[in-house]
Amino acid sequence: MHALKSINKKDYPFKSINQTLITNIVSNRENIDDGFFMYKEYCPQRIFYRDIAKLVDEVPTESQYKGLYFESLLLDKEAKTIPLTKTGKVPIDYERIQKQATNAQLIFLKNGISVSRGINTQVPLSFYQKELDIVVKGKLDLFPAQVFLDGELKKCIVDIKLTGNIDDTFSPYSWGDPTKRDNIQGDMYMWLVRNVFQNNLFKEVKERNKDYNYFFVFNDDNIREIVEKGILFFYFVFGYKESEEKPLMENVKIIERVRTEHKEYQMLARMAQAIEALRIDEDNGWKAKPSQIACDKCPLKNIVCNEYLEIFKC
């Protein structure tokens, strides 16, 4: 028997949530009949093992790994490994990604953004939210950063994105029309920062994330400015497809996600819906719910779950 089959699920209670988990459960589309956001097709068992108990990892897709590699070049102390071709060469996409990472550093400097690895990169923020009875978590690519805007430097969160074609509008993950994307990440991260800084939650954040050194993030100047002026959020989107008409250096978009009370309300409503759904799943024992979408590339197949076979019976 596989070791995963013998675990007691009650030993892994649902206690925290992040924006990725919310987007796996609740979409950004509202049901016009009842005003609630529509639920996505997902499997509670897969969510439990991957996101709640964190007992299994899922292999990133090719495009996801490219994004992780690009981020590692800019933010991590060591870059991730490049998957070489069968002949041992660096694939052309990865050569372009490396060049774009160099361009990204120049673009950061041009916009007044300083990147200090381990000081203002991959910053974890988390705190207990009493009304929802949950720990809310986020990991910010660059924070606090400063961006030169309207003639002055302003404190901001920067999230780094990599895409093939920055002008594509067909995929739900494309950046050709940012209004069609699910922008809960920006809304949630601004809300996280505002809560931590305005409610003086620095001690709690440090206790929950003991491996991170917050000496710069929580210095007096940052605290004072963010409390007084708030925080901005920017996506820095880089494309790695190159052409004569559009060289790599031009495959860049800087997109501000402007905070509004309505956007924040919608984010909190989606969070509350996701929490409620997951608590019901927990009460029901995190049962499998097989479907073509939920079972696609699931790491639990033939390990703790054979129920995916049900979808092929018809």
Side-chain angles (χ1 to χ4, degrees):
M1 181 175 70
H2 196 281
L4 289 179
K5 286 187 175 181
S6 63
I7 71 162
N8 185 349
K9 291 180 179 178
K10 292 183 179 180
D11 291 337
Y12 301 89
F14 167 50
K15 290 184 176 181
S16 64
I17 198 163
N18 58 28
Q19 61 93 15
T20 302
L21 188 50
I22 295 171
T23 56
N24 283 334
I25 308 300
V26 183
S27 78
N28 61 338
R29 296 173 56 197
E30 291 184 74
N31 188 322
I32 58 174
D33 295 327
D34 58 20
F36 287 96
F37 289 94
M38 300 176 69
Y39 288 97
K40 291 187 176 180
E41 195 171 294
Y42 72 94
C43 174
Q45 181 171 249
R46 186 175 183 177
I47 291 290
F48 169 77
Y49 280 99
R50 182 188 63 199
D51 301 298
I52 308 302
K54 302 186 186 303
L55 294 172
V56 296
D57 293 320
E58 295 194 9
V59 177
T61 64
E62 182 180 358
S63 60
Q64 288 171 339
Y65 190 83
K66 287 175 180 176
L68 293 171
Y69 174 72
F70 182 67
E71 284 189 7
S72 74
L73 291 175
L74 295 171
L75 306 177
D76 295 346
K77 293 180 179 178
E78 293 184 10
K80 293 186 177 293
T81 303
I82 297 176
L84 302 177
T85 65
K86 292 181 179 179
T87 58
K89 296 181 178 180
V90 175
I92 185 66
D93 279 355
Y94 281 86
E95 289 182 355
R96 290 172 175 168
I97 290 169
Q98 290 173 331
K99 292 178 183 177
Q100 195 64 305
T102 300
N103 292 336
Q105 293 170 340
L106 296 174
I107 290 167
F108 287 155
L109 289 173
K110 181 180 177 181
N111 287 276
I113 293 174
S114 175
V115 179
S116 300
R117 300 172 196 240
I119 295 175
N120 72 336
T121 62
Q122 304 288 10
V123 181
L125 294 181
S126 55
F127 64 87
Y128 174 71
Q129 215 288 330
K130 184 177 180 180
E131 287 75 15
L132 295 173
D133 188 25
I134 201 80
V135 174
V136 187
K137 296 182 174 182
K139 183 175 283 189
L140 287 56
D141 283 351
L142 277 172
F143 171 77
Q146 293 189 127
V147 65
F148 193 71
L149 186 69
D150 299 329
E152 63 177 314
L153 288 170
K154 297 184 179 182
K155 298 291 184 186
C156 67
I157 305 161
V158 171
D159 195 76
I160 297 168
K161 301 294 185 187
L162 180 76
T163 185
N165 180 1
I166 61 172
D167 298 315
D168 175 37
T169 59
F170 296 102
S171 165
Y173 306 105
S174 63
W175 289 96
D177 184 357
T179 62
K180 295 181 180 179
R181 289 184 55 87
D182 187 343
N183 288 296
I184 191 174
Q185 184 179 26
D187 300 332
M188 185 171 177
Y189 284 6
M190 285 186 283
W191 175 81
L192 272 169
V193 168
R194 289 174 61 249
N195 270 271
V196 169
F197 280 73
Q198 292 180 358
N199 298 319
N200 194 19
L201 302 179
F202 311 117
K203 182 178 179 181
E204 179 182 353
V205 171
K206 290 178 181 178
E207 289 177 347
R208 293 186 181 278
N209 305 279
K210 294 180 179 179
D211 292 336
Y212 199 89
N213 190 332
Y214 292 90
F215 77 95
F216 171 74
V217 177
F218 294 156
N219 71 33
D220 290 342
D221 289 340
N222 289 329
I223 293 172
R224 182 177 59 255
E225 186 169 345
I226 291 171
V227 169
E228 291 177 358
K229 300 180 180 180
I231 192 74
L232 304 178
F233 183 96
F234 291 89
Y235 295 107
F236 275 60
V237 186
F238 299 89
Y240 60 87
K241 297 300 182 183
E242 188 175 31
S243 65
E244 291 184 2
E245 296 78 19
K246 198 162 191 176
L248 278 177
M249 196 65 174
E250 295 180 13
N251 271 287
V252 180
K253 285 186 177 181
I254 302 173
I255 303 167
E256 182 179 5
R257 177 65 173 176
V258 178
R259 176 190 173 269
T260 68
E261 290 188 5
H262 179 65
K263 292 173 185 175
E264 190 170 285
Y265 170 81
Q266 288 188 313
M267 178 273 294
L268 291 170
R270 289 177 67 190
M271 186 190 302
Q273 278 189 232
I275 292 168
E276 180 182 20
L278 290 167
R279 284 179 175 151
I280 292 172
D281 292 332
E282 183 175 37
D283 290 341
N284 292 333
W286 302 105
K287 294 180 181 177
K289 188 179 179 182
S291 71
Q292 290 279 4
I293 294 175
C295 296
D296 182 45
K297 299 179 182 178
C298 179
L300 302 177
K301 289 179 182 179
N302 301 317
I303 297 177
V304 297
C305 182
N306 292 316
E307 295 193 34
Y308 71 95
L309 297 172
E310 295 292 323
I311 66 176
F312 299 109
K313 286 186 177 180
C314 59

